[in-house]
Amino acid sequence: MEFGRDFQIKHYAGDVTYSVEGFIDKNRDSLFQDFKRLLYNSMDPTLRAMWPDGQQDITEVTKRPLTAGTLFKNSMIALVENLASKEPFYVRCIKPNEDKVPGRLDEAHCRHQVEYLGLLENVRVRRAGFASRQPYPRFLLRYKMTCEYTWPNHLLGSDREAVSALLEQHGLQGDVAFGHSKLFIRSPRTLVTLEQSRAHLIPIIVLLLQKAWRGTLARWRCRRLRAIYTIMGWFRRHKVRAHLIELQRRFQAARQPPLYGRDLVWPTPPAVLQPFQDTCHILFSRWRARQLVKNIPPSDMTQIKAKVAAMGALQGLRQDWGCQRAWARDYLSSDTDNPTASHLFAEQLKALREKDGFGTVLFSSHVRKVNRFRKRRDRALLLTDRHLYKLEPGRQYRVMRAVPLDAVTGLSVTSGRDQLVVLHAQGHDDLVVCLHRSQPPLDNRIGELVGMLVSHCQGEGRTLEIRVSDCIPLSQRGARRLISVEPRPEQTEPDFQCSRSTFTLLWPSH
């Protein structure tokens, strides 16, 4: 303190220091305008000069200034009104030190403040009575989830009965007292117990609310999707109906011969109808094929089935397979292909039919063969519905080799115009032949042989493997060889050229 300026008052909460500078100004009231006007109108010139504010007319200044007492009273009224509108919680602030320095705690100074603020007495008084008091509605709002009788909303007569049921379930009714509108709680342990129960249940309630809200969102989304799918369904029905009407309009004239709707253009279907239109296209193609096939004589049906089988096996793999000409199948019995020995073959065929009991000749032709000994000879090939025969034309078509047709597992041809055929049989050597001595010369009969054999196997319900390759592997008594085709312009008749591990068919390229 400074001498002559500061003075100190001994207070129960500690010493309080005041300064005399401005002390009176802080507590001085402003004079009323009436007094200023009265002194200004004095006959004494000195008083008149001291109050120049009094020269203002009474009509200009009428409001009187507030006194210090009035200001203090108004301030206290505003404070009380503000506190009444709130729920007061008094917070006692303690200064850690007198120097206002952070991080420094003056223990003696703090003890002094705690003692003179009456905090210890306040705690003792509160603990001697009921330390906590809460209105029933607020107490229920916070702790009702801890009791099955109050969650989510109680059905009891009043909030007080609901609070009583909640406390009885927790066994805490001996530590409380019931007022008219509030619950009085003696021990903080009661609140701690209730808070622990509430903290344990809050995550469960949150999960329950999340589940309910997510379920609500899912139901909203489900309803929207259901509406969308309903609109999509009706729109698809409209598109389907429009497409079917257009199909019906375009195919009204499909029954008219001889084209049977070949030139009709299919409309572009919706995406959902693409599989349906593909199926309809297949069905229409089959129906149109049936309409065309009905006019084919029954005698030609075998040839048609064989050509269809050959097309399925060779289409896109071999350049030409003879589909444009008529197939005679049994060329050894034809006077055109076998003018000098057709009657001899007929006699041998009759004998084989009586011996083996086959029913149909699938294919017969002269061939050029090569065996495992690299010997090349002219032979005849006879294919029936039971056996595959290799015949010797020079000896009245004597049977040199007979293989059951069930043992034939596959057939290999090349992709060119040559007539090379390799027949694969289970338990027998592969038969390597080249069809020749045909009329016209070098006639393409590979497709005919393949078609007849594949069609017959399909009728028996078994699969025949057809391989198309320019380098064909074959097996003869365990020896593996490769056979290929070499076109030669100077070659007049097809023949084989043999080496140790390969065979080459020399094919006339003209």
Side-chain angles (χ1 to χ4, degrees):
M1 293 186 299
E2 183 177 343
F3 180 79
R5 186 195 67 182
D6 300 332
F7 64 95
Q8 191 176 75
I9 296 177
K10 297 293 185 178
H11 197 267
Y12 77 96
D15 297 339
V16 181
T17 303
Y18 296 91
S19 175
V20 299
E21 294 181 356
F23 187 82
I24 298 178
D25 296 336
K26 296 178 183 179
N27 299 277
R28 184 174 58 187
D29 290 337
S30 298
L31 288 177
F32 294 160
Q33 186 67 20
D34 297 342
F35 293 109
K36 295 180 182 179
R37 192 178 296 110
L38 175 64
L39 294 175
Y40 178 76
N41 293 324
S42 175
M43 300 301 293
D44 189 344
T46 303
L47 291 177
R48 185 181 183 90
M50 292 176 60
W51 304 98
D53 296 341
Q55 65 181 346
Q56 294 180 349
D57 191 73
I58 189 172
T59 58
E60 297 179 5
V61 180
T62 59
K63 186 177 180 181
R64 294 183 177 184
L66 298 177
T67 63
T70 303
L71 291 175
F72 179 75
K73 182 177 68 174
N74 292 340
S75 176
M76 294 302 297
I77 292 174
L79 176 62
V80 171
E81 291 177 353
N82 190 19
L83 292 176
S85 65
K86 304 294 191 299
E87 184 176 354
F89 288 94
Y90 296 99
V91 178
R92 298 291 187 178
C93 297
I94 297 176
K95 294 191 295 184
N97 55 76
E98 287 290 344
D99 301 328
K100 299 181 180 180
V101 178
R104 181 191 299 175
L105 181 66
D106 188 347
E107 184 177 354
H109 184 64
C110 293
R111 285 179 177 273
H112 177 75
Q113 293 179 80
V114 169
E115 179 181 358
Y116 282 97
L117 286 175
L119 298 182
L120 296 178
E121 288 77 5
N122 191 8
V123 171
R124 292 190 188 99
V125 170
R126 297 288 288 184
R127 294 192 64 178
F130 295 94
S132 177
R133 57 200 69 183
Q134 296 186 25
Y136 294 128
R138 193 179 71 179
F139 184 86
L140 276 178
L141 184 63
R142 184 166 184 82
Y143 300 114
K144 63 180 180 178
M145 72 286 298
T146 63
C147 178
E148 58 182 341
Y149 302 109
T150 59
W151 177 256
N153 294 306
H154 69 86
L155 300 177
L156 301 176
S158 62
D159 291 345
R160 177 175 177 174
E161 295 179 6
V163 171
S164 177
L166 187 150
L167 294 172
E168 287 180 4
Q169 181 170 343
H170 288 279
L172 301 174
Q173 64 275 17
D175 195 44
V176 298
F178 295 92
H180 291 289
S181 61
K182 290 184 179 180
L183 175 69
F184 297 85
I185 303 174
R186 184 184 303 276
S187 172
R189 183 170 58 254
T190 301
L191 289 177
V192 171
T193 303
L194 293 174
E195 287 292 338
Q196 290 177 350
S197 299
R198 181 178 180 273
H200 175 71
L201 293 173
I202 284 296
I204 302 175
I205 296 174
V206 170
L207 290 178
L208 178 64
L209 295 176
Q210 288 180 349
K211 180 178 69 173
W213 177 242
R214 289 172 180 170
T216 301
L217 294 179
R219 283 188 290 272
W220 289 350
R221 184 173 180 272
C222 180
R223 282 196 291 269
R224 288 196 297 268
L225 289 178
R226 192 173 298 166
I228 292 171
Y229 288 147
T230 301
I231 296 173
M232 290 172 59
W234 282 103
F235 179 73
R236 286 177 179 174
R237 291 188 188 97
H238 166 72
K239 297 290 287 185
V240 168
R241 190 180 299 109
H243 181 71
L244 294 179
I245 292 174
E246 181 65 18
L247 276 178
Q248 184 179 6
R249 185 187 66 81
R250 293 194 183 189
F251 283 84
Q252 285 180 350
R255 293 181 179 274
Q256 300 297 327
L259 297 180
Y260 294 104
R262 184 188 66 181
D263 298 333
L264 293 176
V265 179
W266 290 73
T268 302
V272 70
L273 281 184
Q274 187 62 52
F276 169 77
Q277 180 142 322
D278 294 341
T279 305
C280 289
H281 201 286
I282 295 173
L283 294 176
F284 175 74
S285 301
R286 292 180 178 178
W287 172 83
R288 184 173 175 275
R290 185 176 181 84
Q291 299 301 317
L292 297 175
V293 167
K294 284 195 303 185
N295 299 323
I296 299 176
S299 58
D300 294 339
M301 287 305 299
T302 303
Q303 181 181 166
I304 294 297
K305 291 180 180 180
K307 286 187 176 182
V308 171
M311 182 177 65
L314 301 177
Q315 183 73 23
L317 300 176
R318 185 176 170 87
Q319 298 176 3
D320 184 17
W321 45 276
C323 64
Q324 302 295 332
R325 60 174 183 82
W327 289 358
R329 297 185 298 167
D330 190 2
Y331 293 98
L332 294 181
S333 298
S334 172
D335 293 336
T336 303
D337 277 56
N338 194 12
T340 60
S342 59
H343 62 286
L344 297 176
F345 176 74
E347 293 177 359
Q348 180 64 24
L349 188 64
K350 181 179 179 181
L352 289 175
R353 181 178 279 111
E354 293 176 354
K355 176 184 176 183
D356 296 334
F358 63 85
T360 306
V361 175
L362 301 180
F363 185 80
S364 67
S365 174
H366 288 107
V367 297
R368 182 75 171 174
K369 71 95 180 179
V370 61
N371 60 11
R372 67 179 186 276
F373 302 111
R374 297 188 287 277
K375 293 182 179 181
R376 298 159 292 173
R377 296 288 187 273
D378 288 335
R379 294 288 184 261
L381 181 69
L382 173 62
L383 182 64
T384 68
D385 56 359
R386 289 196 175 183
H387 290 84
L388 171 66
Y389 298 99
K390 183 175 71 172
L391 309 177
E392 187 176 1
R395 295 187 179 182
Q396 300 180 353
Y397 293 97
R398 179 176 63 89
V399 177
M400 299 185 64
R401 181 181 176 187
V403 178
L405 197 61
D406 295 340
V408 178
T409 59
L411 185 147
S412 298
V413 297
T414 64
S415 60
R417 293 183 54 86
D418 57 88
Q419 302 299 295
L420 176 64
V421 180
V422 179
L423 292 162
H424 307 281
Q426 186 177 4
H428 300 270
D429 291 345
D430 292 344
L431 181 60
V432 184
V433 297
C434 176
L435 309 181
H436 79 137
R437 290 173 57 183
S438 59
Q439 293 296 330
L442 306 179
D443 191 18
N444 196 341
R445 297 176 180 174
I446 290 295
E448 186 173 356
L449 174 59
V450 172
M452 294 304 300
L453 190 55
V454 171
S455 177
H456 176 74
C457 292
Q458 289 177 352
E460 291 185 343
R462 65 186 184 94
T463 303
L464 184 70
E465 182 182 4
I466 305 298
R467 288 180 291 183
V468 180
S469 174
D470 292 332
C471 188
I472 302 173
L474 57 98
S475 175
Q476 292 179 331
R477 295 296 174 91
R480 298 288 181 176
R481 291 186 173 89
L482 296 175
I483 183 168
S484 58
V485 178
E486 180 181 342
R488 287 192 177 182
E490 68 276 6
Q491 192 79 18
T492 57
E493 292 291 335
D495 199 2
F496 290 97
Q497 182 178 359
C498 303
S499 64
R500 182 176 182 84
S501 59
T502 60
F503 294 153
T504 304
L505 173 63
L506 305 179
W507 180 257
S509 62
H510 60 274

